[in-house]
Amino acid sequence: MSIDHAASTDLSPEVATAAASGANATERFTSDKQAAADTPPERVSLLARQVLSAVHDTIREHKVTYDEYNALKAWLINVGQTGEWPLFLDVWVEHVVEEVAGESREGSKGTIEGPYYVPNAPELGSAAILPTRDGEQGTPLLFQGQVTAVDGTPLAHAVIEIWHADSDGFYSQFAPGIPEWNLRGTVTTDDQGQFWIHTMKPAPYQIPTDGACGNLISAAGWHPWRPAHLHLKVAADGYQQVTTQLYFPGDAHNDDDVANAVKPELILDPKDVDGGQEVTYDFVLDKA
Ligand code: DHB
Ligand code: FE
């Protein structure tokens, strides 16, 4: 099966292209994130040498030719020109950074943030309805739960940011023709640490195939799919923020995610109810 993102967007004459979502993701990263400027030179040197040495070893071991070297050079130039560095890094590198960062946490598992987070989504209280379009397609989903500390203490007024793709696999602010805050919101837990979020189930997501990342995938004979997922950031004063994703059982790509970001603890257990699905998932935060 193949869903062509560009072909499935009837909502707008504009089409979702890798270059457009790449440019948006690059712009967001540049404006929202700070690069660590205080890394000491010894550490920069150690890390840079080790990465370069892995490249040198690969070239020697596999007798990489000048044609292959030039193909790599052209490809790297293209990654930059299409703004796909955030996509490339978040798909093929971030999961290991997250693994190391989360190693000593006891609470809820995290996973990669990906390129499509936008801060300051509308505040929707503790019983939230995420913004949708009239006639938003998909299965209605009630996602509810409680935020607690590792010792079980409920965390009142914890802040849950949620964002996810629509039933075509598109994210607002990165694909054209979708209202700014569609399927994005900031939810705050009540006095018992509880929350309720009404939304529409997302679809499996295909990373853009018409740009540099897509070229790599087709040249290598890989596939571009991520399983359907909800993205979340959960924060409370005095606790470590968790950035995570939650997945749905039975998705063909839960075992085979292009971004390697699925963990067994992150697969939800939704129940069919009248008019849609309902699922409970509790978050546990470690002390800061
Ligand atoms: C990408 C997209 C996602 O929605 C995600 O969660 C991770 C990576 C990407 O296109 O790079
Ligand atoms: Fe995503």
Side-chain angles (χ1 to χ4, degrees), residues 113 116 163 171 205 226 229 231 245:
E113 177 176 320
Y116 300 144
W163 70 104
Y171 286 84
Y205 166 85
R226 297 218 58 223
H229 54 279
H231 286 271
Q245 300 184 23

Side-chain angles (χ1 to χ4, degrees), residues 4 14 40 54-55 121 131 155 159 197 230 233-234 285:
D4 182 340
E14 282 180 278
V55 173
L155 297 178
V159 176
I197 302 171
L230 304 174
K233 282 181 182 280
V234 183
L285 302 188

Side-chain angles (χ1 to χ4, degrees), residues 9 11-12 14 118 121-122 130-137 163-166 170-185:
T9 315
L11 293 162
S12 148
E14 282 180 278
V118 181
L130 293 195
T132 52
R133 291 159 285 189
D134 284 348
E136 187 79 43
Q137 297 299 296
W163 70 104
H164 65 82
D166 66 14
F170 291 119
Y171 286 84
S172 58
Q173 302 190 40
F174 295 89
I178 305 177
E180 188 175 22
W181 296 107
N182 209 60
L183 302 174
R184 296 177 181 271

Side-chain angles (χ1 to χ4, degrees), residues 237-258:
D237 281 348
Y239 292 85
Q240 294 178 44
Q241 184 180 54
V242 172
T243 299
T244 194
Q245 300 184 23
L246 297 171
Y247 304 91
F248 297 89
D251 192 305
H253 294 100
N254 281 344
D255 298 322
D256 182 25
D257 172 13
V258 65

